[in-house]
Amino acid sequence: MINENYEKVLNTINDVCKKCNRLTDDVSLIAVSKTKPVSALFEAYEAGARDFGENKVQELVDKYDKLPPDIRWHMIGHLQTNKVKYIADKVYMIHSVDSVKLAEEISKQAVKAKRIIPVLIEVNIAGEDSKFGIAKDECIDFIQSVNQLPGIAVKGLMTVPPFVENAEDNRQYFKALKQLSVDIMQKNIDNVCMDFLSMGMSGDYTVAIEEGANIIRVGTSIFGERDYFVKA
């Protein structure tokens, strides 16, 4: 079932890209594997998935050595500074940078690991009190305060839009994040590029692609509903 679901999502991505004159290869699919057992990840891997997203540091660490080494692990959930050290040598990209303190810790641990970690700035594009992320109007100043930190490279933006029944309701937020990325790019800030827009999940990724997303984070449409009582 997982392999069929994964193929279905890929086909949908292809259809949407054709519709809006984009190359399918421009959109990366992250299989969001939080709460899913290693066996389910293996199924997705065998279907072709190489990018996996985790929300919890402990889950990422637990799964890391049990799966093939060519997997690219993405930290997509809120990241506490005291947990960065556990994933600095494992994570391919961190999507959820939302404070100077966190950026400084990622920098510190990246230097220790002798690597440069690509990061995305999480933007609370809808201004929801319940969500993490930098306010849209503060994003450029925030980036200018962390762009010279060693060991990290700002590669773009990420957002978690509101949960909606109708995906069209989030189009405004995807448009806003895309425009923000353009505004940032025009600033020509050192050590900053806007190569990636990580936005769109199972319920709204088609609209996100139409509005410029090139990383989508899909869990339920690949793995089915989450079971928070299943251990990896």
Coordinates of all heavy atoms in Angstrom, one line a residue, residues 140-196:
I140 N 13.5 39.3 7.3 CA 14.7 39.8 6.7 C 15.7 40.2 7.8 O 16.9 39.9 7.7 CB 14.4 41.0 5.7 CG1 13.6 40.5 4.5 CG2 15.7 41.7 5.3 CD1 13.2 41.5 3.5
D141 N 15.2 40.9 8.8 CA 16.1 41.3 9.9 C 16.7 40.1 10.6 O 17.9 40.1 10.9 CB 15.4 42.2 10.9 CG 15.1 43.6 10.4 OD1 15.7 44.0 9.4 OD2 14.2 44.3 11.0
F142 N 15.9 39.1 10.8 CA 16.3 37.8 11.4 C 17.4 37.2 10.6 O 18.5 36.8 11.1 CB 15.2 36.9 11.6 CG 15.6 35.5 12.1 CD1 15.9 35.3 13.4 CD2 15.7 34.4 11.2 CE1 16.3 34.1 13.9 CE2 16.1 33.2 11.7 CZ 16.4 33.0 13.1
I143 N 17.2 37.1 9.3 CA 18.2 36.5 8.4 C 19.5 37.2 8.5 O 20.6 36.6 8.5 CB 17.7 36.3 7.0 CG1 16.6 35.3 6.9 CG2 18.8 36.0 6.0 CD1 15.9 35.2 5.6
Q144 N 19.4 38.5 8.5 CA 20.6 39.4 8.5 C 21.4 39.2 9.9 O 22.6 39.5 10.0 CB 20.3 40.8 8.3 CG 19.9 41.1 6.8 CD 19.4 42.5 6.5 OE1 18.8 43.1 7.4 NE2 19.7 43.0 5.4
S145 N 20.7 38.7 10.9 CA 21.3 38.5 12.2 C 22.0 37.2 12.3 O 22.8 36.9 13.3 CB 20.3 38.7 13.3 OG 19.4 37.6 13.3
V146 N 21.7 36.2 11.4 CA 22.3 34.9 11.5 C 23.1 34.5 10.3 O 23.8 33.4 10.3 CB 21.2 33.8 11.8 CG1 20.4 34.2 13.0 CG2 20.3 33.7 10.6
N147 N 23.1 35.3 9.2 CA 23.7 34.8 8.0 C 25.2 34.6 8.0 O 25.7 33.9 7.2 CB 23.3 35.8 6.8 CG 24.0 37.2 7.0 OD1 23.9 37.8 8.0 ND2 24.7 37.6 5.9
Q148 N 25.9 35.3 8.9 CA 27.3 35.1 9.0 C 27.8 34.1 10.0 O 29.0 33.9 10.1 CB 28.0 36.5 9.4 CG 27.8 37.6 8.3 CD 28.4 37.3 7.0 OE1 29.4 36.5 6.9 NE2 27.8 37.8 5.9
L149 N 26.9 33.4 10.6 CA 27.3 32.3 11.5 C 28.0 31.2 10.7 O 27.5 30.8 9.7 CB 26.1 31.7 12.2 CG 25.4 32.6 13.2 CD1 24.1 32.0 13.7 CD2 26.3 32.9 14.4
P150 N 29.1 30.7 11.2 CA 29.9 29.6 10.5 C 29.1 28.3 10.6 O 28.3 28.1 11.6 CB 31.2 29.5 11.3 CG 30.9 30.0 12.7 CD 29.8 31.1 12.5
G151 N 29.3 27.5 9.7 CA 28.7 26.1 9.7 C 27.3 26.0 9.3 O 26.7 24.9 9.3
I152 N 26.6 27.1 9.0 CA 25.2 27.0 8.5 C 25.1 27.8 7.2 O 25.9 28.8 7.0 CB 24.2 27.4 9.5 CG1 24.3 29.0 9.8 CG2 24.3 26.7 10.8 CD1 23.1 29.5 10.6
A153 N 24.2 27.4 6.4 CA 23.9 28.1 5.1 C 22.4 28.3 5.0 O 21.7 27.3 4.9 CB 24.5 27.4 3.9
V154 N 21.9 29.5 4.9 CA 20.5 29.7 4.8 C 20.1 29.5 3.3 O 20.6 30.1 2.4 CB 20.1 31.2 5.2 CG1 18.6 31.4 4.9 CG2 20.5 31.4 6.7
K155 N 19.2 28.5 3.1 CA 18.9 28.0 1.8 C 17.5 28.3 1.4 O 17.1 28.0 0.2 CB 19.1 26.5 1.7 CG 20.6 26.1 1.8 CD 21.4 26.5 0.6 CE 22.8 25.9 0.6 NZ 23.6 26.4 -0.5
G156 N 16.7 28.9 2.2 CA 15.3 29.2 1.9 C 14.4 29.3 3.0 O 14.8 29.5 4.2
L157 N 13.1 29.1 2.8 CA 12.1 29.3 3.8 C 11.2 28.1 3.9 O 11.0 27.3 3.0 CB 11.2 30.5 3.4 CG 11.9 31.9 3.1 CD1 10.9 32.9 2.7 CD2 12.7 32.4 4.4
M158 N 10.6 28.0 5.1 CA 9.6 26.9 5.3 C 8.4 27.5 6.1 O 8.6 28.5 6.8 CB 10.3 25.8 6.2 CG 9.3 24.6 6.5 SD 8.4 24.9 8.0 CE 9.1 23.7 9.1
T159 N 7.3 26.9 5.9 CA 6.1 27.4 6.7 C 5.2 26.2 6.9 O 5.2 25.2 6.1 CB 5.3 28.5 6.0 OG1 4.5 29.1 7.0 CG2 4.5 28.0 4.8
V160 N 4.5 26.2 8.0 CA 3.4 25.3 8.3 C 2.1 26.1 8.3 O 1.8 26.9 9.2 CB 3.6 24.6 9.7 CG1 2.4 23.7 9.9 CG2 4.9 23.9 9.7
P161 N 1.3 26.1 7.2 CA 0.1 26.9 7.1 C -1.0 26.4 8.0 O -0.9 25.3 8.6 CB -0.2 26.8 5.6 CG 0.2 25.4 5.3 CD 1.5 25.2 6.0
P162 N -2.1 27.1 8.1 CA -3.2 26.7 9.0 C -3.8 25.4 8.4 O -3.7 25.1 7.3 CB -4.2 27.8 8.8 CG -3.4 29.0 8.4 CD -2.3 28.5 7.6
F163 N -4.3 24.6 9.4 CA -5.1 23.4 9.0 C -6.4 23.9 8.4 O -7.2 24.6 9.1 CB -5.3 22.5 10.2 CG -6.1 21.3 9.8 CD1 -5.6 20.2 9.1 CD2 -7.5 21.3 10.1 CE1 -6.4 19.1 8.8 CE2 -8.3 20.2 9.8 CZ -7.7 19.1 9.1
V164 N -6.7 23.5 7.2 CA -7.9 23.9 6.5 C -8.6 22.7 5.8 O -7.9 21.7 5.5 CB -7.6 25.0 5.5 CG1 -7.2 26.3 6.1 CG2 -6.6 24.5 4.4
E165 N -9.9 22.8 5.7 CA -10.6 21.8 5.0 C -10.4 21.9 3.5 O -10.4 21.0 2.7 CB -12.1 21.9 5.3 CG -12.4 21.5 6.8 CD -12.2 20.1 7.1 OE1 -12.2 19.2 6.2 OE2 -11.9 19.8 8.3
N166 N -10.4 23.2 3.0 CA -10.2 23.5 1.6 C -8.8 24.0 1.3 O -8.4 25.1 1.8 CB -11.3 24.5 1.2 CG -11.2 24.8 -0.3 OD1 -10.4 24.3 -1.1 ND2 -12.2 25.6 -0.8
A167 N -8.0 23.3 0.5 CA -6.7 23.7 0.3 C -6.5 25.1 -0.3 O -5.5 25.8 -0.1 CB -6.0 22.7 -0.7
E168 N -7.6 25.5 -1.0 CA -7.5 26.8 -1.6 C -7.4 27.9 -0.6 O -6.9 29.0 -0.9 CB -8.8 27.1 -2.5 CG -8.8 26.4 -3.8 CD -7.7 27.0 -4.8 OE1 -7.4 28.2 -4.7 OE2 -7.2 26.2 -5.6
D169 N -7.8 27.7 0.6 CA -7.8 28.7 1.7 C -6.3 29.0 2.1 O -6.1 30.0 2.6 CB -8.5 28.2 2.9 CG -10.0 28.1 2.7 OD1 -10.5 28.7 1.8 OD2 -10.7 27.4 3.5
N170 N -5.4 28.1 1.7 CA -4.0 28.3 2.0 C -3.2 28.9 0.9 O -2.0 29.2 1.0 CB -3.3 27.0 2.5 CG -3.5 26.7 4.0 OD1 -3.8 27.7 4.7 ND2 -3.4 25.5 4.4
R171 N -3.8 29.1 -0.2 CA -3.1 29.7 -1.4 C -2.5 31.0 -1.1 O -1.4 31.4 -1.5 CB -4.0 29.8 -2.6 CG -3.3 30.2 -3.9 CD -4.2 30.2 -5.1 NE -4.8 28.9 -5.5 CZ -4.1 28.1 -6.2 NH1 -2.9 28.3 -6.7 NH2 -4.7 26.9 -6.6
Q172 N -3.3 31.8 -0.3 CA -2.8 33.2 0.0 C -1.5 33.1 0.8 O -0.6 34.0 0.6 CB -3.8 33.9 0.8 CG -4.2 33.2 2.1 CD -5.3 33.9 2.9 OE1 -5.2 35.2 3.1 NE2 -6.3 33.2 3.4
Y173 N -1.4 32.1 1.7 CA -0.1 32.0 2.5 C 1.0 31.5 1.6 O 2.2 31.9 1.8 CB -0.4 31.1 3.7 CG -1.5 31.6 4.5 CD1 -2.7 30.8 4.7 CD2 -1.5 32.8 5.1 CE1 -3.7 31.3 5.5 CE2 -2.5 33.3 5.9 CZ -3.6 32.5 6.1 OH -4.7 33.0 6.9
F174 N 0.8 30.6 0.7 CA 1.8 30.1 -0.2 C 2.3 31.3 -1.1 O 3.5 31.4 -1.3 CB 1.4 28.9 -1.0 CG 1.0 27.7 -0.2 CD1 -0.1 26.9 -0.6 CD2 1.7 27.4 1.0 CE1 -0.5 25.8 0.2 CE2 1.3 26.3 1.7 CZ 0.2 25.5 1.3
K175 N 1.4 32.1 -1.6 CA 1.8 33.2 -2.4 C 2.6 34.2 -1.6 O 3.6 34.7 -2.0 CB 0.5 34.0 -2.8 CG -0.2 33.4 -4.0 CD -1.4 34.2 -4.4 CE -2.2 33.7 -5.6 NZ -1.5 33.9 -6.8
A176 N 2.2 34.4 -0.3 CA 3.0 35.3 0.6 C 4.4 34.8 0.8 O 5.3 35.6 0.9 CB 2.2 35.5 1.9
L177 N 4.5 33.5 1.1 CA 5.9 33.0 1.3 C 6.7 33.1 0.1 O 7.9 33.5 0.2 CB 5.8 31.6 1.8 CG 7.1 31.1 2.5 CD1 7.3 31.7 3.9 CD2 7.2 29.6 2.6
K178 N 6.2 32.8 -1.1 CA 6.9 33.0 -2.3 C 7.4 34.4 -2.5 O 8.5 34.7 -2.9 CB 6.0 32.5 -3.5 CG 6.7 32.8 -4.9 CD 7.9 32.0 -5.1 CE 8.5 32.2 -6.5 NZ 9.7 31.4 -6.7
Q179 N 6.5 35.4 -2.3 CA 6.8 36.8 -2.4 C 7.9 37.2 -1.4 O 8.8 37.9 -1.8 CB 5.6 37.6 -2.3 CG 5.9 39.1 -2.5 CD 6.4 39.4 -3.9 OE1 5.8 39.0 -4.9 NE2 7.6 40.1 -4.0
L180 N 7.8 36.7 -0.2 CA 8.8 37.0 0.8 C 10.2 36.4 0.3 O 11.2 37.1 0.5 CB 8.4 36.3 2.1 CG 9.4 36.5 3.3 CD1 9.6 38.0 3.6 CD2 8.9 35.8 4.5
S181 N 10.2 35.3 -0.3 CA 11.5 34.7 -0.7 C 12.1 35.6 -1.9 O 13.3 35.8 -1.9 CB 11.3 33.3 -1.2 OG 10.7 33.2 -2.5
V182 N 11.2 36.1 -2.7 CA 11.7 37.0 -3.8 C 12.2 38.3 -3.2 O 13.3 38.8 -3.6 CB 10.5 37.4 -4.7 CG1 10.9 38.5 -5.7 CG2 10.1 36.1 -5.5
D183 N 11.6 38.9 -2.2 CA 12.0 40.1 -1.5 C 13.4 39.9 -0.8 O 14.3 40.7 -0.9 CB 11.0 40.5 -0.4 CG 9.7 41.0 -1.0 OD1 9.6 41.2 -2.3 OD2 8.7 41.0 -0.3
I184 N 13.6 38.7 -0.2 CA 14.8 38.4 0.4 C 15.9 38.3 -0.6 O 17.1 38.8 -0.4 CB 14.7 37.1 1.3 CG1 13.8 37.4 2.5 CG2 16.1 36.7 1.8 CD1 13.4 36.1 3.2
M185 N 15.6 37.6 -1.7 CA 16.6 37.3 -2.7 C 17.1 38.7 -3.3 O 18.3 38.8 -3.6 CB 16.0 36.5 -3.8 CG 17.0 36.0 -4.9 SD 16.2 34.7 -5.9 CE 14.7 35.5 -6.5
Q186 N 16.2 39.6 -3.4 CA 16.6 40.9 -4.0 C 17.5 41.7 -3.1 O 18.1 42.7 -3.5 CB 15.3 41.7 -4.3 CG 14.5 41.1 -5.5 CD 13.2 41.9 -5.7 OE1 12.7 42.6 -4.9 NE2 12.6 41.6 -6.9
K187 N 17.6 41.3 -1.8 CA 18.5 42.0 -0.9 C 19.9 41.6 -1.0 O 20.8 42.3 -0.5 CB 18.0 41.7 0.6 CG 16.7 42.2 1.0 CD 16.7 43.7 1.2 CE 15.4 44.2 1.7 NZ 15.4 45.7 1.8
N188 N 20.2 40.5 -1.8 CA 21.5 40.0 -2.0 C 22.3 39.9 -0.7 O 23.4 40.4 -0.6 CB 22.3 40.9 -3.0 CG 21.7 40.8 -4.4 OD1 21.4 39.7 -4.9 ND2 21.5 41.9 -5.0
I189 N 21.8 39.2 0.3 CA 22.4 39.0 1.6 C 23.5 38.0 1.5 O 23.2 36.9 1.0 CB 21.4 38.7 2.7 CG1 20.2 39.7 2.7 CG2 22.0 38.6 4.0 CD1 19.0 39.3 3.6
D190 N 24.7 38.3 2.0 CA 25.8 37.3 2.0 C 25.4 36.0 2.6 O 24.7 36.0 3.7 CB 27.0 37.8 2.7 CG 27.7 39.0 1.9 OD1 27.4 39.1 0.7 OD2 28.5 39.7 2.5
N191 N 25.8 34.9 2.0 CA 25.6 33.5 2.6 C 24.1 33.1 2.7 O 23.8 32.3 3.5 CB 26.3 33.4 4.0 CG 26.4 31.9 4.4 OD1 26.7 31.1 3.6 ND2 26.2 31.7 5.7
V192 N 23.3 33.8 1.9 CA 21.9 33.5 1.9 C 21.4 33.3 0.5 O 21.7 34.1 -0.4 CB 21.1 34.6 2.6 CG1 19.6 34.4 2.4 CG2 21.4 34.8 4.0
C193 N 20.7 32.2 0.2 CA 20.0 32.0 -1.0 C 18.6 31.6 -0.8 O 18.3 31.1 0.3 CB 20.7 31.1 -1.9 SG 20.7 29.4 -1.4
M194 N 17.7 31.7 -1.7 CA 16.3 31.3 -1.6 C 16.0 30.2 -2.6 O 15.1 30.2 -3.3 CB 15.4 32.5 -1.8 CG 15.4 33.5 -0.7 SD 14.6 33.0 0.8 CE 16.0 32.9 1.9
D195 N 16.9 29.2 -2.5 CA 16.7 28.0 -3.4 C 15.5 27.2 -3.1 O 15.0 26.5 -4.0 CB 18.0 27.2 -3.4 CG 19.2 27.8 -4.1 OD1 19.0 28.8 -4.8 OD2 20.3 27.3 -3.9
F196 N 15.1 27.2 -1.8 CA 14.1 26.2 -1.4 C 12.9 26.9 -0.8 O 13.1 27.8 0.1 CB 14.7 25.2 -0.5 CG 15.8 24.3 -1.1 CD1 17.1 24.5 -0.7 CD2 15.5 23.4 -2.1 CE1 18.1 23.8 -1.3 CE2 16.5 22.7 -2.7 CZ 17.8 22.9 -2.3

